[in-house]
Amino acid sequence: EVQLLESGGGLVQPGGSLRLSCAASGFTFSSYAMSWVRQAPGKGLEWVSTISGVYTTNYADSVKGRFTISRDNSKNTLYLQMNSLRAEDTAVYYCAKSITAAGRTFIYWGQGALVTVSS
Amino acid sequence: DIQMTQSPSSVSASVGDRVTITCRASQDISNWLAWYQQRPGKAPKLLIYAASGFQSGVPSRFSGSGSGTDFTLTISSLQPEDFATYYCQQANSFPRTFGQGTKVEIK
C-alpha cells in the first residue's frame, strides 16, 4: 500500500524558513517523480514543484528562487525547503507521487501539512 | 503558462442526476489532462488520467473525454458520496496548472 506522510509544517514569521518532509513507502521511491502541491485556505490547488527520479527539478514562478525541492532515495523521503516565506505561502502542502517518472499526473497524495506564515 | 478554465464553478444537482463538467485549456495539450475529486478536509483523489483513462478503483459512473483544448468529466448518476469539488489539471508542460474547481452541491 502506498503511503505518503508529510511532516514539518507549522507557524513561521514572514521572512522565515521551514522544511517539509514526506516519508514514502509501499513503492520503489527512486523510480517515480514526486511533487508538492499546495492549497491556500478556501482556495484551489496550486502546483509548487516536481523532482524526477533523476533529480531534474521544476518550480512554479511564485516560489522559484525561494523554495528548493530535493529527495533522498536512500531514505525514501521527499523534502521542500522553504525560505523567505510570505503570507501568501500560507497553505496546506501536499506531497504527491506521480504515475511515472515524468511527473505529469498525481496518483497518490499525502494527508497534507499546514504551513502558516504570520507575525 | 497554460491556463485551465472550468465551467461551471458550481452546480446543484440531485442524487441520480447526470452531471457534466467542462475544462478548457488555453492551448493544445493533446490528451494530457487529469481530473481529481476533493472532499472537504481531504486530499485530492485522482479519477481520470490522460483525458479518458480510468484510475483503478474509481466507480464506472465517472468518465472523461476530449482532446486538444476541450475536455469533459461526466458523472452518469450522481451518488451521495460524489458531492465534492472537482479539478482538472494539464499534464502537458511545466508549470503544471489546475482549473479553479467545480463544486458539486446537493440540490
Side-chain angles (χ1 to χ4, degrees):
Chain A
E1 178 192 5
V2 171
Q3 291 194 347
L4 300 170
L5 186 61
E6 298 99 336
S7 60
L11 174 64
V12 61
Q13 292 188 336
S17 298
L18 210 57
R19 188 178 83 156
L20 301 180
S21 300
C22 172
S25 61
F27 63 101
T28 305
F29 183 72
S30 59
S31 296
Y32 296 90
M34 297 294 296
S35 302
W36 291 97
V37 177
R38 69 184 180 182
Q39 187 169 37
K43 303 298 184 181
L45 301 171
E46 180 188 17
W47 171 80
V48 174
S49 183
T50 294
I51 185 168
S52 73
V54 292
Y55 303 100
T56 302
T57 59
N58 287 275
Y59 297 93
D61 285 346
S62 58
V63 307
K64 200 172 294 183
R66 300 187 299 122
F67 290 12
T68 302
I69 191 171
S70 61
R71 63 192 298 162
D72 186 335
N73 288 342
S74 68
K75 295 182 178 179
N76 290 349
T77 302
L78 175 72
Y79 302 99
L80 186 68
Q81 177 66 44
M82 302 183 292
N83 298 330
S84 303
L85 282 161
R86 306 167 180 166
E88 54 264 36
D89 295 318
T90 294
V92 173
Y93 285 73
Y94 294 101
C95 161
K97 172 190 175 294
S98 290
I99 293 179
T100 67
R104 294 184 184 273
T105 305
F106 313 118
I107 185 173
Y108 291 107
W109 300 63
Q111 85 290 347
L114 177 61
V115 172
T116 303
V117 184
S118 175
S119 55
Chain B
D1 297 1
I2 299 174
Q3 308 304 316
M4 306 301 293
T5 304
Q6 287 182 235
S7 61
S9 295
S10 65
V11 57
S12 293
S14 301
V15 172
D17 284 354
R18 181 182 183 90
V19 173
T20 299
I21 300 168
T22 63
C23 180
R24 175 163 290 176
S26 60
Q27 63 189 73
D28 189 339
I29 60 170
S30 184
N31 69 334
W32 292 113
L33 184 99
W35 289 98
Y36 302 87
Q37 175 194 66
Q38 187 179 33
R39 297 188 177 109
K42 300 295 186 181
K45 172 186 174 183
L46 177 65
L47 298 176
I48 302 287
Y49 64 93
S52 59
F54 292 98
Q55 170 58 14
S56 175
V58 172
S60 59
R61 62 182 179 273
F62 290 93
S63 63
S65 64
S67 67
T69 61
D70 294 312
F71 302 87
T72 300
L73 174 70
T74 300
I75 310 172
S76 60
S77 178
L78 201 64
Q79 298 302 300
E81 60 269 29
D82 301 336
F83 292 96
T85 300
Y86 295 83
Y87 295 92
C88 62
Q89 175 239 326
Q90 66 82 14
N92 181 74
S93 62
F94 287 106
R96 307 296 189 218
T97 45
F98 290 87
Q100 81 278 16
T102 296
K103 188 173 184 179
V104 177
E105 300 174 298
I106 301 173
K107 180 183 281 186

